[in-house]
Amino acid sequence: MPFKKFEEKIFKGIMYISFSLLALSLFSIIVVVFVKGLGSLSFKMLFSVPKGGYYLGKEGGILNAILGSIAIGTIATALSFLYAFCIVFYINVYRFSKSKFSRIVRFFLDILWGIPSIVYGAFGFGIMLLFKIPASLLAGALTLSFVILPIMARTMDETLRMIPFEMKQAAYSLGATRFEISYKVIIKQAFPGLLTAVLLAFGRGIGDAASIIMTASYTDSIPTSLLRPVATLPLCVFFQLSTPFKEVQERGYAAAFVLTMLMLLVSLLARLSFRSFSKYVVK
Amino acid sequence: MGAKEPIKIQNLSVSYGNQKVLKEINLEIPEKGITVILGPSGCGKSTLLKCFNRIIELEENVKVDGKLFVDGEDILHPKTDLIVLRKKMGLLLQKPQVLPMSIYENVAFGAKIHKKMKKSEIDALVERELKKVNLWDEVKDRLKSPADKLSIGQQQRLCLARGLAVEPEIILGDEPTSALDPLSAEVIEKQFLKLKENYTIILVTHMLRQAKRLADYVAFIYLGELVEFNSAPQFFENPKDERTKKYLSGLIAG
């Protein structure tokens, strides 16, 4: 066999293997979590809060954690969106994308991205002690928003950088201002990418445990106030898996399954809405 | 319509970082008619064109020196209102660049920015401008569909219509036909010949034959210098500079 063909075959082979590993890991995670949690999965579990002795195996559900995760994830995503949006539009529209300033901002974001979320948690906790803020939904969401900010900002940034320079030239030469170009042209062109960034950050947010363990604490009741502690699914999984009781551990897996499905649902809904949003995108 | 007086360029120099792209250009572009800026690739002609509406400033590390008078005003002055300036000029890029919106919205985009308009006025404007560029019949049934779906030749005509909709005095073309198939290119060229009655058209090209077909005046730029400027018949029949003669006889590659 000629070498070139051989080479081709090898690389194709490697690609198939990596794809299989990828598919396998996704499916095995979902299957394992599902099978291990199956015994505890019920509608009752989804729609009730823990009763007394829940963590010892008595009655109750994880509604507190489901609602808490959605609340903390949504608030954190919204907060960091406001921030990330301003940053990336500033460094890409108001400054030259490749300017020194923009590169420094990107560098900072990359460093922030690399900081472990437990460090953000410790940082948030330190600030809370300083200002005597109790562990709460607000404190947790604020801390979490810092964790997901670099992810969202850098993903948005990559999208904005892909916008053809000629498109900006064309819009400017019609006499549009930077602001008009931002919200009438760039947002439309970048919309799918911006949405992906938000989802990615949201997914990372509701999955994170380390940054909120000290800042948001945990509670058995559903979230009603920004200033009260809030339950979250990752911590719900953690607490239940770390008990010595089999049936409680099973509930932990069930909660993990719910968390995974929640993420899948959000991504799927977003993908479905993509088509209508990207109708006018210039390829 | 059309510039009220000639565009005057005085001692215009442009550099990217340390590299001087245009050197001390002095030129007077007559109002109305087509002025072709001719020269081989990379000689600085696009750079010159982008000075007229100052979108050259969108690029980094650009330094522009000198004076450029449009309607008697030095537009390189820092206090120039760029919005007003850019409204005066329509720009066609080498590769047609439609905006991420419908055909209808593309045409209306610039006009809507500058003036508050009623729906019926916008409808009329879109129809009028699309008719000017012979695109109306091809798209009148799908004005709401994405502009990106049009063929590249149609896209360039759409870009022309979009530019005309802001009622410019001057049309700038940066090799606007070089990405198009011959038929679409011919359509665009015909538009230019029609439009030159009312507009000042400045057209950058490296295609000698296109220059011969369209030009009323020719400015020949070579290695960042203005070599020769003359009316088209004079320029082609009776070139004065050695470099022009060489270029016209094909000794300088385009």
Side-chain angles (χ1 to χ4, degrees):
Chain A
M1 198 182 337
F3 180 70
K4 287 234 167 188
K5 262 196 168 164
F6 185 64
E7 201 181 50
E8 189 92 335
K9 281 233 155 111
I10 287 188
F11 279 102
K12 252 189 184 166
I14 293 176
M15 262 155 47
Y16 285 136
I17 293 171
S18 3
F19 172 74
S20 318
L21 280 175
L22 186 72
L24 192 72
S25 46
L26 176 64
F27 282 112
S28 54
I29 287 174
I30 294 177
V31 167
V32 165
V33 174
F34 179 69
V35 169
K36 286 206 164 195
L38 185 62
S40 298
L41 276 174
S42 66
F43 278 104
K44 212 174 119 207
M45 166 202 151
L46 294 178
F47 295 113
S48 59
V49 294
K51 309 269 161 52
Y54 179 68
Y55 301 99
L56 301 169
K58 293 211 175 130
E59 288 280 291
I62 55 165
L63 182 67
N64 59 331
I66 296 175
L67 291 180
S69 265
I70 293 175
I72 206 167
T74 310
I75 296 172
T77 308
L79 285 173
S80 80
F81 177 76
L82 291 175
Y83 198 21
F85 191 78
C86 295
I87 295 176
V88 295
F89 272 80
Y90 184 72
I91 63 173
N92 284 296
V93 182
Y94 285 78
R95 292 266 188 162
F96 295 112
S97 269
K98 288 179 201 147
S99 70
K100 202 168 193 178
F101 179 83
S102 303
R103 283 206 296 258
I104 292 174
V105 172
R106 274 184 205 115
F107 178 61
F108 283 176
L109 287 171
D110 287 343
I111 296 176
L112 286 172
W113 191 328
I115 293 177
S117 70
I118 187 74
V119 177
Y120 283 99
F123 171 73
F125 191 59
I127 292 189
M128 284 158 60
L129 288 181
L130 199 66
F131 293 103
K132 303 217 161 41
I133 305 168
S136 58
L137 173 54
L138 183 68
L142 276 169
T143 313
L144 193 58
S145 73
F146 280 104
V147 177
I148 62 178
L149 169 72
I151 301 168
M152 200 188 300
R154 283 297 271 128
T155 319
M156 283 182 171
D157 180 43
E158 290 304 325
T159 315
L160 291 203
R161 279 163 73 179
M162 302 255 284
I163 290 179
F165 181 61
E166 288 78 12
M167 189 178 279
K168 292 188 206 168
Q169 279 188 329
Y172 274 115
S173 51
L174 289 166
T177 61
R178 285 183 227 188
F179 185 69
E180 284 160 341
I181 285 168
S182 299
Y183 86 92
K184 287 185 176 158
V185 178
I186 295 183
I187 289 185
K188 280 187 188 160
Q189 176 71 7
F191 199 91
L194 296 178
L195 192 60
T196 307
V198 170
L199 283 176
L200 212 66
F202 180 77
R204 179 70 207 280
I206 64 168
D208 195 63
S211 66
I212 49 176
I213 193 160
M214 290 177 286
T215 53
S217 187
Y218 200 81
T219 172
D220 279 352
S221 47
I222 56 172
T224 49
S225 158
L226 279 175
L227 300 171
R228 303 262 297 275
V230 64
T232 44
L233 280 168
L235 291 181
C236 173
V237 174
F238 172 70
F239 290 143
Q240 295 184 96
L241 281 183
S242 45
T243 58
F245 312 110
K246 261 263 157 346
E247 60 268 49
V248 181
Q249 285 177 3
E250 196 181 74
R251 288 174 179 174
Y253 280 108
F257 183 71
V258 171
L259 178 58
T260 315
M261 285 301 117
L262 190 63
M263 245 344 278
L264 267 170
L265 192 71
V266 173
S267 317
L268 255 148
L269 285 178
R271 294 276 153 204
L272 287 177
S273 63
F274 253 33
R275 212 168 282 166
S276 59
F277 286 127
S278 56
K279 186 179 168 199
Y280 292 112
V281 170
V282 177
K283 276 144 213 133
Chain B
M1 274 192 286
K4 287 159 206 109
E5 45 185 297
I7 298 170
K8 286 190 203 111
I9 304 171
Q10 290 175 0
N11 295 326
L12 184 77
S13 296
V14 179
S15 39
Y16 287 93
N18 293 326
Q19 198 196 351
K20 237 182 176 179
V21 189
L22 283 179
K23 297 164 202 158
E24 306 275 322
I25 304 281
N26 284 288
L27 181 62
E28 202 162 297
I29 295 177
E31 66 271 35
K32 307 275 167 70
I34 300 178
T35 299
V36 166
I37 301 175
L38 187 67
S41 305
C43 69
K45 37 189 204 312
S46 294
T47 306
L48 176 61
L49 194 77
K50 285 173 189 164
C51 289
F52 289 105
N53 66 356
R54 283 179 60 181
I55 60 164
I56 187 134
E57 288 164 28
L58 300 179
E59 284 155 63
E60 230 194 325
N61 285 324
V62 181
K63 202 166 163 296
V64 183
D65 285 311
K67 291 196 159 101
L68 209 167
F69 293 94
V70 176
D71 291 339
E73 245 180 283
D74 177 18
I75 57 130
L76 294 180
H77 194 277
K79 279 198 181 136
T80 304
D81 186 340
L82 287 178
I83 310 285
V84 176
L85 172 69
R86 287 175 182 156
K87 189 182 172 303
K88 270 186 205 167
M89 318 221 177
L91 173 72
L92 275 187
L93 294 163
Q94 193 164 6
K95 186 178 154 279
Q97 183 67 60
V98 296
L99 299 172
M101 44 193 90
S102 66
I103 296 172
Y104 180 95
E105 289 295 331
N106 257 278
V107 181
F109 178 81
K112 266 163 60 180
I113 282 175
H114 298 293
K115 200 161 62 178
K116 238 191 146 50
M117 296 167 92
K118 276 188 242 128
K119 174 88 171 66
S120 57
E121 287 176 308
I122 302 174
D123 287 348
L125 171 104
V126 169
E127 182 173 345
R128 188 180 69 227
E129 300 306 333
L130 285 174
K131 276 182 175 160
K132 264 191 212 167
V133 298
N134 283 347
L135 193 58
W136 175 252
D137 290 331
E138 290 160 57
V139 301
K140 64 181 174 204
D141 302 323
R142 47 176 176 146
L143 289 172
K144 294 278 173 245
S145 71
D148 191 42
K149 291 266 180 341
L150 295 174
S151 78
I152 196 124
Q154 290 173 320
Q155 286 188 21
Q156 193 63 301
R157 277 182 280 156
L158 179 66
C159 291
L160 184 57
R162 181 182 67 191
L164 293 177
V166 296
E167 297 174 351
E169 301 169 359
I170 299 158
I171 297 171
L172 309 171
D174 188 1
E175 307 194 14
T177 62
S178 62
L180 309 185
D181 61 277
L183 272 178
S184 308
E186 202 187 320
V187 174
I188 293 279
E189 283 190 7
K190 277 195 181 138
Q191 307 299 326
F192 279 142
L193 289 172
K194 208 168 79 186
L195 292 166
K196 74 173 187 177
E197 307 295 324
N198 294 316
Y199 297 88
T200 305
I201 299 177
I202 305 172
L203 193 65
V204 159
T205 185
H206 64 267
M207 288 178 278
L208 204 52
R209 265 177 289 173
Q210 185 175 50
K212 281 185 179 160
R213 282 194 298 267
L214 299 179
D216 296 309
Y217 307 92
V218 185
F220 176 55
I221 295 188
Y222 185 59
L223 298 176
E225 282 176 61
L226 177 69
V227 175
E228 190 165 344
F229 175 74
N230 220 328
S231 68
Q234 283 289 321
F235 181 87
F236 290 116
E237 300 307 323
N238 197 5
K240 294 195 179 63
D241 196 282
E242 274 307 306
R243 288 167 289 180
T244 317
K245 284 178 195 162
K246 273 190 184 165
Y247 184 72
L248 290 177
S249 58
L251 288 174
I252 297 173

